[in-house]
Short mmCIF file of all heavy atoms in Angstrom, two decimals:
data_model
loop_
_atom_site.label_atom_id
_atom_site.label_comp_id
_atom_site.label_asym_id
_atom_site.label_seq_id
_atom_site.Cartn_x
_atom_site.Cartn_y
_atom_site.Cartn_z
N GLY A 382 -58.37 -71.72 46.80
CA GLY A 382 -57.16 -70.96 46.54
C GLY A 382 -56.58 -71.26 45.17
O GLY A 382 -56.11 -70.35 44.47
N ARG A 383 -56.62 -72.52 44.77
CA ARG A 383 -56.08 -72.92 43.47
C ARG A 383 -56.91 -72.36 42.32
O ARG A 383 -56.37 -71.87 41.32
CB ARG A 383 -56.00 -74.44 43.39
CG ARG A 383 -55.44 -75.00 42.09
CD ARG A 383 -53.97 -74.68 41.95
NE ARG A 383 -53.17 -75.32 42.98
CZ ARG A 383 -51.85 -75.15 43.10
NH1 ARG A 383 -51.21 -74.35 42.26
NH2 ARG A 383 -51.18 -75.75 44.06
N LEU A 384 -58.22 -72.41 42.46
CA LEU A 384 -59.10 -71.96 41.39
C LEU A 384 -59.13 -70.44 41.24
O LEU A 384 -59.31 -69.93 40.15
CB LEU A 384 -60.52 -72.49 41.61
CG LEU A 384 -60.72 -73.99 41.39
CD1 LEU A 384 -62.12 -74.42 41.81
CD2 LEU A 384 -60.48 -74.35 39.92
N THR A 385 -58.95 -69.75 42.35
CA THR A 385 -58.93 -68.29 42.29
C THR A 385 -57.69 -67.85 41.52
O THR A 385 -56.58 -68.20 41.86
CB THR A 385 -58.90 -67.69 43.71
OG1 THR A 385 -60.07 -68.09 44.40
CG2 THR A 385 -58.86 -66.17 43.64
N GLY A 386 -57.87 -67.09 40.50
CA GLY A 386 -56.78 -66.69 39.64
C GLY A 386 -56.70 -67.52 38.38
O GLY A 386 -56.03 -67.14 37.42
N MET A 387 -57.42 -68.67 38.36
CA MET A 387 -57.42 -69.54 37.18
C MET A 387 -58.71 -69.41 36.38
O MET A 387 -58.72 -69.60 35.17
CB MET A 387 -57.21 -71.00 37.59
CG MET A 387 -55.85 -71.28 38.22
SD MET A 387 -55.70 -72.99 38.79
CE MET A 387 -55.89 -73.89 37.25
N VAL A 388 -59.81 -69.10 37.09
CA VAL A 388 -61.09 -68.99 36.41
C VAL A 388 -61.73 -67.64 36.73
O VAL A 388 -61.33 -66.95 37.67
CB VAL A 388 -62.05 -70.13 36.83
CG1 VAL A 388 -61.46 -71.49 36.53
CG2 VAL A 388 -62.40 -70.03 38.31
N ASP A 389 -62.71 -67.28 35.96
CA ASP A 389 -63.48 -66.05 36.18
C ASP A 389 -64.04 -66.08 37.61
O ASP A 389 -64.72 -67.03 38.00
CB ASP A 389 -64.61 -65.99 35.14
CG ASP A 389 -65.34 -64.66 35.15
OD1 ASP A 389 -65.40 -64.01 36.21
OD2 ASP A 389 -65.86 -64.27 34.09
N VAL A 390 -63.76 -65.04 38.38
CA VAL A 390 -64.21 -65.02 39.77
C VAL A 390 -65.72 -65.14 39.90
O VAL A 390 -66.23 -65.67 40.89
CB VAL A 390 -63.73 -63.74 40.49
CG1 VAL A 390 -62.24 -63.75 40.66
CG2 VAL A 390 -64.19 -62.49 39.76
N ARG A 391 -66.44 -64.67 38.90
CA ARG A 391 -67.90 -64.76 38.96
C ARG A 391 -68.37 -66.21 38.92
O ARG A 391 -69.42 -66.55 39.47
CB ARG A 391 -68.52 -63.97 37.80
CG ARG A 391 -68.16 -62.48 37.81
CD ARG A 391 -68.70 -61.75 36.60
NE ARG A 391 -68.26 -62.38 35.36
CZ ARG A 391 -68.69 -62.01 34.15
NH1 ARG A 391 -69.54 -61.02 34.02
NH2 ARG A 391 -68.24 -62.62 33.07
N LEU A 392 -67.57 -67.07 38.29
CA LEU A 392 -67.91 -68.49 38.21
C LEU A 392 -67.60 -69.22 39.51
O LEU A 392 -67.93 -70.40 39.66
CB LEU A 392 -67.16 -69.15 37.05
CG LEU A 392 -67.47 -68.59 35.66
CD1 LEU A 392 -66.70 -69.34 34.59
CD2 LEU A 392 -68.97 -68.64 35.37
N LEU A 393 -66.96 -68.54 40.43
CA LEU A 393 -66.77 -69.07 41.78
C LEU A 393 -67.79 -68.47 42.74
O LEU A 393 -68.40 -69.19 43.53
CB LEU A 393 -65.35 -68.77 42.28
CG LEU A 393 -64.19 -69.42 41.53
CD1 LEU A 393 -62.86 -68.96 42.12
CD2 LEU A 393 -64.28 -70.94 41.60
N LEU A 394 -67.96 -67.15 42.66
CA LEU A 394 -68.83 -66.46 43.61
C LEU A 394 -70.30 -66.84 43.45
O LEU A 394 -70.99 -67.11 44.44
CB LEU A 394 -68.66 -64.95 43.47
CG LEU A 394 -67.30 -64.37 43.89
CD1 LEU A 394 -67.23 -62.88 43.58
CD2 LEU A 394 -67.08 -64.60 45.38
N PHE A 395 -70.78 -66.86 42.21
CA PHE A 395 -72.21 -67.13 42.02
C PHE A 395 -72.60 -68.54 42.46
O PHE A 395 -73.56 -68.71 43.23
CB PHE A 395 -72.62 -66.89 40.56
CG PHE A 395 -74.09 -67.05 40.32
CD1 PHE A 395 -74.98 -66.07 40.72
CD2 PHE A 395 -74.59 -68.21 39.71
CE1 PHE A 395 -76.35 -66.22 40.51
CE2 PHE A 395 -75.95 -68.36 39.50
CZ PHE A 395 -76.84 -67.36 39.91
N PRO A 396 -71.88 -69.59 42.02
CA PRO A 396 -72.22 -70.94 42.51
C PRO A 396 -72.09 -71.05 44.03
O PRO A 396 -72.90 -71.74 44.67
CB PRO A 396 -71.21 -71.85 41.80
CG PRO A 396 -70.81 -71.10 40.59
CD PRO A 396 -70.81 -69.66 41.00
N ALA A 397 -71.08 -70.39 44.61
CA ALA A 397 -70.91 -70.46 46.07
C ALA A 397 -72.10 -69.84 46.78
O ALA A 397 -72.57 -70.36 47.81
CB ALA A 397 -69.62 -69.76 46.48
N LEU A 398 -72.61 -68.73 46.25
CA LEU A 398 -73.79 -68.11 46.84
C LEU A 398 -75.02 -69.00 46.66
O LEU A 398 -75.88 -69.08 47.55
CB LEU A 398 -74.04 -66.73 46.21
CG LEU A 398 -73.06 -65.62 46.66
CD1 LEU A 398 -73.22 -64.38 45.78
CD2 LEU A 398 -73.28 -65.27 48.12
N MET A 399 -75.09 -69.68 45.54
CA MET A 399 -76.22 -70.61 45.31
C MET A 399 -76.16 -71.79 46.29
O MET A 399 -77.20 -72.26 46.77
CB MET A 399 -76.19 -71.13 43.86
CG MET A 399 -76.60 -70.08 42.82
SD MET A 399 -78.33 -69.55 42.99
CE MET A 399 -78.10 -68.04 43.91
N VAL A 400 -74.96 -72.25 46.58
CA VAL A 400 -74.82 -73.33 47.57
C VAL A 400 -75.25 -72.82 48.95
O VAL A 400 -75.89 -73.54 49.72
CB VAL A 400 -73.37 -73.86 47.62
CG1 VAL A 400 -73.19 -74.84 48.77
CG2 VAL A 400 -73.01 -74.53 46.29
N GLN A 401 -74.89 -71.56 49.26
CA GLN A 401 -75.36 -70.98 50.52
C GLN A 401 -76.88 -70.95 50.58
O GLN A 401 -77.49 -71.27 51.61
CB GLN A 401 -74.81 -69.55 50.68
CG GLN A 401 -73.33 -69.45 50.88
CD GLN A 401 -72.87 -70.12 52.16
OE1 GLN A 401 -73.40 -69.87 53.23
NE2 GLN A 401 -71.89 -71.00 52.04
N ALA A 402 -77.49 -70.55 49.48
CA ALA A 402 -78.96 -70.51 49.42
C ALA A 402 -79.55 -71.90 49.60
O ALA A 402 -80.53 -72.10 50.33
CB ALA A 402 -79.41 -69.90 48.10
N PHE A 403 -78.93 -72.90 48.95
CA PHE A 403 -79.41 -74.28 49.09
C PHE A 403 -79.25 -74.76 50.53
O PHE A 403 -80.15 -75.43 51.08
CB PHE A 403 -78.64 -75.21 48.15
CG PHE A 403 -78.87 -76.67 48.43
CD1 PHE A 403 -80.06 -77.29 48.04
CD2 PHE A 403 -77.93 -77.43 49.13
CE1 PHE A 403 -80.28 -78.63 48.32
CE2 PHE A 403 -78.15 -78.76 49.41
CZ PHE A 403 -79.33 -79.36 49.00
N ALA A 404 -78.11 -74.44 51.14
CA ALA A 404 -77.87 -74.87 52.52
C ALA A 404 -78.91 -74.27 53.46
O ALA A 404 -79.43 -74.96 54.36
CB ALA A 404 -76.47 -74.47 52.95
N LEU A 405 -79.23 -73.00 53.26
CA LEU A 405 -80.25 -72.35 54.10
C LEU A 405 -81.63 -72.93 53.83
O LEU A 405 -82.44 -73.08 54.75
CB LEU A 405 -80.23 -70.83 53.85
CG LEU A 405 -78.98 -70.11 54.37
CD1 LEU A 405 -78.87 -68.71 53.78
CD2 LEU A 405 -79.00 -70.04 55.89
N TRP A 406 -81.90 -73.25 52.57
CA TRP A 406 -83.18 -73.91 52.23
C TRP A 406 -83.27 -75.26 52.93
O TRP A 406 -84.31 -75.63 53.48
CB TRP A 406 -83.28 -74.09 50.72
CG TRP A 406 -84.48 -74.88 50.28
CD1 TRP A 406 -85.75 -74.43 50.09
CD2 TRP A 406 -84.51 -76.29 50.02
NE1 TRP A 406 -86.58 -75.46 49.70
CE2 TRP A 406 -85.85 -76.62 49.65
CE3 TRP A 406 -83.56 -77.31 50.03
CZ2 TRP A 406 -86.23 -77.92 49.32
CZ3 TRP A 406 -83.94 -78.60 49.70
CH2 TRP A 406 -85.26 -78.89 49.35
N ASN A 407 -82.16 -76.00 52.92
CA ASN A 407 -82.12 -77.30 53.59
C ASN A 407 -82.35 -77.15 55.10
O ASN A 407 -83.08 -77.94 55.71
CB ASN A 407 -80.77 -77.97 53.32
CG ASN A 407 -80.66 -79.34 53.96
OD1 ASN A 407 -81.48 -80.23 53.70
ND2 ASN A 407 -79.66 -79.53 54.81
N MET A 408 -81.73 -76.13 55.70
CA MET A 408 -81.93 -75.88 57.13
C MET A 408 -83.37 -75.53 57.43
O MET A 408 -83.87 -75.84 58.52
CB MET A 408 -81.01 -74.74 57.59
CG MET A 408 -79.54 -75.07 57.62
SD MET A 408 -78.54 -73.64 58.14
CE MET A 408 -76.89 -74.21 57.74
N SER A 409 -84.05 -74.88 56.49
CA SER A 409 -85.44 -74.48 56.72
C SER A 409 -86.40 -75.67 56.70
O SER A 409 -87.59 -75.50 56.95
CB SER A 409 -85.87 -73.45 55.69
OG SER A 409 -86.05 -74.03 54.41
N HIS A 410 -85.88 -76.87 56.40
CA HIS A 410 -86.71 -78.07 56.39
C HIS A 410 -86.33 -79.05 57.50
O HIS A 410 -86.75 -80.21 57.48
CB HIS A 410 -86.61 -78.77 55.02
CG HIS A 410 -87.32 -78.04 53.93
ND1 HIS A 410 -86.82 -76.91 53.33
CD2 HIS A 410 -88.54 -78.27 53.34
CE1 HIS A 410 -87.65 -76.49 52.40
NE2 HIS A 410 -88.70 -77.27 52.39
N LEU A 411 -85.53 -78.59 58.46
CA LEU A 411 -85.20 -79.43 59.61
C LEU A 411 -86.42 -79.56 60.52
O LEU A 411 -87.37 -78.79 60.41
CB LEU A 411 -84.03 -78.83 60.39
CG LEU A 411 -82.70 -78.69 59.63
CD1 LEU A 411 -81.67 -77.97 60.50
CD2 LEU A 411 -82.17 -80.05 59.20
N THR A 412 -86.39 -80.53 61.42
CA THR A 412 -87.49 -80.72 62.36
C THR A 412 -86.95 -80.72 63.79
O THR A 412 -85.73 -80.74 64.00
CB THR A 412 -88.23 -82.05 62.11
OG1 THR A 412 -87.35 -83.14 62.49
CG2 THR A 412 -88.62 -82.20 60.64
N ALA A 413 -87.86 -80.70 64.74
CA ALA A 413 -87.47 -80.68 66.15
C ALA A 413 -86.96 -82.04 66.61
O ALA A 413 -86.53 -82.18 67.77
CB ALA A 413 -88.65 -80.25 67.02
N ASP A 414 -86.97 -83.04 65.72
CA ASP A 414 -86.51 -84.38 66.08
C ASP A 414 -85.23 -84.78 65.36
O ASP A 414 -84.90 -85.96 65.28
CB ASP A 414 -87.61 -85.41 65.77
CG ASP A 414 -88.89 -85.12 66.54
OD1 ASP A 414 -88.80 -84.81 67.73
OD2 ASP A 414 -89.98 -85.19 65.94
N ILE A 415 -84.49 -83.80 64.83
CA ILE A 415 -83.28 -84.13 64.07
C ILE A 415 -82.22 -84.70 65.00
O ILE A 415 -82.19 -84.44 66.20
CB ILE A 415 -82.72 -82.89 63.35
CG1 ILE A 415 -82.37 -81.79 64.36
CG2 ILE A 415 -83.67 -82.39 62.30
CD1 ILE A 415 -81.62 -80.62 63.76
N SER A 416 -81.32 -85.49 64.40
CA SER A 416 -80.21 -86.05 65.15
C SER A 416 -79.01 -85.11 65.08
O SER A 416 -79.00 -84.13 64.32
CB SER A 416 -79.81 -87.41 64.56
OG SER A 416 -79.30 -87.24 63.23
N PHE A 417 -77.98 -85.42 65.85
CA PHE A 417 -76.74 -84.65 65.81
C PHE A 417 -76.14 -84.68 64.40
O PHE A 417 -75.66 -83.66 63.89
CB PHE A 417 -75.74 -85.23 66.82
CG PHE A 417 -74.41 -84.54 66.84
CD1 PHE A 417 -74.19 -83.46 67.69
CD2 PHE A 417 -73.37 -84.96 66.02
CE1 PHE A 417 -72.96 -82.81 67.71
CE2 PHE A 417 -72.14 -84.31 66.03
CZ PHE A 417 -71.94 -83.24 66.88
#
Side-chain angles (χ1 to χ4, degrees):
R383 181 68 64 183
L384 288 173
T385 299
M387 295 176 62
V388 301
D389 189 330
V390 292
R391 300 175 305 174
L392 299 181
L393 295 177
L394 292 175
F395 184 76
L398 286 169
M399 288 295 98
V400 173
Q401 292 297 309
F403 168 76
L405 290 165
W406 174 84
N407 181 57
M408 290 178 192
S409 72
H410 287 77
L411 298 175
T412 70
D414 300 317
I415 60 171
S416 65
F417 179 90

